[in-house]
Amino acid sequence: MNDPSVSAPKSLPTPRDPHLRDMADCIRALSMDAVQQAKSGHAGAPMGMADIATVLFSEFMQFDAADPHWIDRDRFILSNGHGSMLLYSLLYLTGYKDMPIEEIKRFRQVNSRTPGHPEYRHADGIELTTGPLGQGVAEAVGMSLGERIMNASFGDELVNHYTYVFMGDGCLMEGISQEAISLAGHLKLGRLIAFWDDNSISIDGATRLAVSDNEPERFRASGWHVLEIDGHDTDAIRAAITTARAVTDQPTMIACKTIIGFGLPTKAGTQKARSDAPGEEEIAGARKLLNWHSPAFVIPEDLLKEWRAIGTKGAKARAAWAERVKDAPEPLRQEFERRNDGKLPTDWKQAIADAKTEFADSGKEIATRAASGAVLDHLFAAIPELLGGSADLTPSNNTRATGQIDIEPGKYAGSYIHYGVREHGMAAAMNGVARHGGLIPYGGTFLCFSDYCRPAIRLAAMMLIRTTFVMTHDSIGLGEDGPTHQPVEHLAALRAIPHLGVYRPGDPIETAECWELILEQPRRAALLALSRQPMPLLRKDTGTENRSARGAYVLHEPEGGPRKLTLMATGSELHLAVEARAVLQNEGIPTAVVSMPCRLLFEEQDAAYKKAVMGETLARVAVEAAVELGWERYLGFHGRFVGMHGFGDSGKIGDLYAKFEITTEAVLRTARDVLQEVQAEPGP
């Protein structure tokens, strides 16, 4: 639907500072030229926010284009990532080496460093993959929180920077924004400054078609300091940022009233500036209106020289910081550098060994959520950068290790965060913490609520960062809460996310091994699926070998002859396969049990290993209290699945497993049927 009341302004506002307007017009020109050449993109937001970005980068941002990974740099996040040309323009103008003009010309093309939305690892200066609207707001909260926690550990001399985030109307419509701003306000993140691009335009037309919220009041209600300015008045922008930086006990939201597509003669201020290529005639008109005489992709030499000087102005501050690091007490400096290099303490694996020994010596049945908590008790003492948390389920998720101190509003010396019932905000904030550096975040909720976290989980996997999602109550085994809380399709859906390590350990020893695998892979996001119900200790080996390391392994080899049957399982159903095997072996059927705690790792193995684990036999049975999707590749034509084929029910654990026929008896019955079918199959 179009809103006929929306029309372009008749003239441009007179600039307070004509020179700053010229500087900002460099961003506008590059943005409209790149979008026009790509015949795709969003020039409106970059053109509307160019004045804000110019003041921020030229007068406040602490960065050095020659050292993009300087630890104490300010962080800049573009939550309204469709306006990616704003960031790409800034990176080119300030002289980042891997953002030459050729990449600007290749905007939105295959294998370019300038995709439609900013992607972490595509180019230096892109701090995060933001993607879906609202993600960047929550990621910025995590980055700011990471800065404060590191500051509490290492002091102002080593960690003392700001996090700036640009966000649009769409970011604030998304529900994740409320989770994020509420958390930030509660924690009093005074070094977080957010700029709202208040242009009142969405793709459908004026935002009043869909929303009438008073955004400044919403932020104030969540504990933010709020300023409201003209987003094209450079004096007002400067004053607002100065004021925001002086506020130490509240995050600040600066509401910037802007004109989307500022400079476009007929489309500025309208939905046509939101996501359409401007058109050659419109760009010609913009050049005339902006008094911009350079051809496409050409920045006047004097302006480019000034922008490049902005890119180098942080070199002096960076050098002074490097001297402070060098002069810091040696133990502090070594710990600071180790953490920021992403290296774990040299003896951290002893914590895993100690946990495994504890489990083996106990011999008790234990839920894997409790086993995970016990592992964390050991790990927390060994890895001080672990940052735990839960979405109001700490006692259920077992994510708070013994000795962890809570992070509180204005008090950041702890290592545990109570995220509240904000699963999505928690997941995205953890991504921000991970990308800040120096900390290893993990956070818990129920596996069924991974649906609320999924966009952030997906981005973590895409960015290849070490964010760990601890998901408990992983099956119908949670019992009485019923089908709304019983995840049946979630494992399949999560395993479908590329690069995400989904771990479902089958006993306490495997739980410790899975934590070891997660921590030693700094470029892999991970999810632990853990049981509510107790499970028997199936392994008592406490040696140095991590049998889970290849994703799947033969837990029990067949006895009495060549393998005739393979039983596969994960998690709380692994013991059913073990029990069934014992019966089948007594019947003279050589049976192997394969444990598959992480399918992704197994798929990375060579063909010979996979073949050795799965065996030659066509008689295969998989058992998992979830849907079958994904198991087909291992079962083949003759294999059968014992698991869920619909949603669960409310009742006691044992009654539910019996109702849905996920029992030792069901595994035995299915195994015998498969064997009979395979034996009846005619030979070649």
Side-chain angles (χ1 to χ4, degrees), residues 485-618:
H485 283 51
Q486 292 168 2
V488 294
E489 77 278 23
H490 297 71
L491 284 169
L494 291 162
R495 287 167 177 157
I497 297 176
H499 311 309
L500 177 68
V502 179
Y503 297 83
R504 191 170 188 245
D507 82 338
I509 297 291
E510 280 195 359
T511 304
E513 290 182 337
C514 289
W515 265 114
E516 182 179 16
L517 295 171
I518 289 168
L519 289 169
E520 67 184 7
Q521 298 178 81
R523 292 192 176 185
R524 172 166 282 156
L527 184 143
L528 271 167
L530 305 170
S531 74
R532 176 198 180 199
Q533 70 272 34
M535 292 152 53
L537 184 69
L538 300 176
R539 284 175 46 194
K540 295 187 178 180
D541 50 304
T542 59
T544 57
E545 180 189 5
N546 188 324
R547 296 184 69 189
S548 301
R550 302 180 79 172
Y553 64 97
V554 180
L555 175 62
H556 291 298
E557 295 283 358
E559 298 175 6
R563 186 191 306 193
K564 289 188 177 181
L565 177 71
T566 299
L567 302 179
M568 298 173 280
T570 74
S572 50
E573 291 71 62
L574 184 58
H575 76 279
L576 301 180
V578 172
E579 292 166 6
R581 173 191 178 272
V583 174
L584 292 165
Q585 283 289 160
N586 285 336
E587 295 176 357
I589 303 171
T591 302
V593 173
V594 172
S595 176
M596 192 177 289
C598 184
R599 189 176 295 172
L600 179 70
L601 295 183
F602 184 58
E603 287 301 317
E604 292 176 348
Q605 306 308 310
D606 58 45
Y609 180 78
K610 293 180 187 177
K611 185 175 180 179
V613 170
M614 301 309 298
E616 299 282 356
T617 177
L618 299 177

Side-chain angles (χ1 to χ4, degrees), residues 280-297:
E280 296 293 348
E281 185 176 344
E282 189 76 5
I283 287 181
R287 278 182 153 73
K288 182 176 181 180
L289 196 59
L290 294 169
N291 196 29
W292 186 265
H293 304 295
S294 296
F297 300 106

Side-chain angles (χ1 to χ4, degrees), residues 177-435:
S177 70
Q178 181 56 37
E179 296 183 27
I181 68 173
S182 175
L183 180 63
H186 169 72
L187 292 174
K188 301 184 182 299
L189 298 177
R191 292 205 157 232
L192 173 62
I193 301 175
F195 298 82
W196 171 34
D197 181 21
D198 179 17
N199 59 46
S200 302
I201 294 295
S202 64
I203 290 176
D204 280 1
T207 54
R208 62 176 171 268
L209 292 169
V211 64
S212 54
D213 297 346
N214 187 324
E215 295 293 0
E217 290 306 312
R218 178 159 76 102
F219 276 78
R220 288 189 180 102
S222 293
W224 286 58
H225 176 236
V226 176
L227 300 166
E228 300 179 58
I229 64 169
D230 176 348
H232 302 296
D233 182 338
T234 51
D235 288 348
I237 296 166
R238 181 183 301 107
I241 299 173
T242 301
T243 300
R245 286 165 59 98
V247 177
T248 59
D249 61 349
Q250 289 178 290
T252 296
M253 188 270 261
I254 304 175
C256 307
K257 194 61 186 174
T258 62
I259 300 170
I260 192 170
F262 184 99
L264 297 175
T266 69
K267 296 182 178 181
T270 77
Q271 70 196 83
K272 291 295 185 181
R274 173 63 167 74
S275 56
D276 294 350
E280 296 293 348
E281 185 176 344
E282 189 76 5
I283 287 181
R287 278 182 153 73
K288 182 176 181 180
L289 196 59
L290 294 169
N291 196 29
W292 186 265
H293 304 295
S294 296
F297 300 106
V298 175
I299 302 298
E301 186 175 345
D302 58 332
L303 294 178
L304 183 58
K305 183 177 180 180
E306 190 164 348
W307 268 112
R308 293 291 161 88
I310 291 169
T312 63
K313 68 182 176 64
K316 185 176 181 180
R318 177 182 56 78
W321 170 84
E323 284 298 314
R324 294 195 299 273
V325 173
K326 181 180 177 181
D327 293 340
E330 186 172 351
L332 185 73
R333 176 181 57 78
Q334 289 180 345
E335 179 68 3
F336 181 69
E337 292 176 344
R338 179 190 68 77
R339 287 203 199 181
N340 284 293
D341 287 343
K343 297 178 181 178
L344 298 175
T346 55
D347 58 350
W348 74 274
K349 288 193 177 185
Q350 185 60 45
I352 298 295
D354 291 345
K356 291 167 70 173
T357 299
E358 179 183 305
F359 297 141
D361 290 347
S362 167
K364 294 180 180 178
E365 290 195 355
I366 181 174
T368 50
R369 63 167 176 165
S372 173
V375 174
L376 286 170
D377 284 343
H378 290 280
L379 286 173
F380 172 64
I383 307 175
E385 60 265 39
L386 284 175
L387 180 68
S390 172
D392 197 45
L393 289 168
T394 297
S396 293
N397 298 150
N398 295 101
T399 43
R400 193 175 190 274
T402 301
Q404 279 190 297
I405 298 172
D406 292 343
I407 301 291
E408 297 181 26
K411 299 178 181 178
Y412 309 108
S415 60
Y416 193 81
I417 304 167
H418 293 279
Y419 286 102
V421 189
R422 304 184 183 99
E423 294 92 349
H424 196 178
M426 173 186 72
M430 287 197 299
N431 288 343
V433 170
R435 273 295 301 122

Side-chain angles (χ1 to χ4, degrees), residues 149-165:
I149 294 171
M150 289 292 285
N151 173 270
S153 295
F154 297 101
D156 289 347
E157 294 295 296
L158 303 189
V159 183
N160 192 23
H161 54 265
Y162 287 88
T163 301
Y164 300 100
V165 57

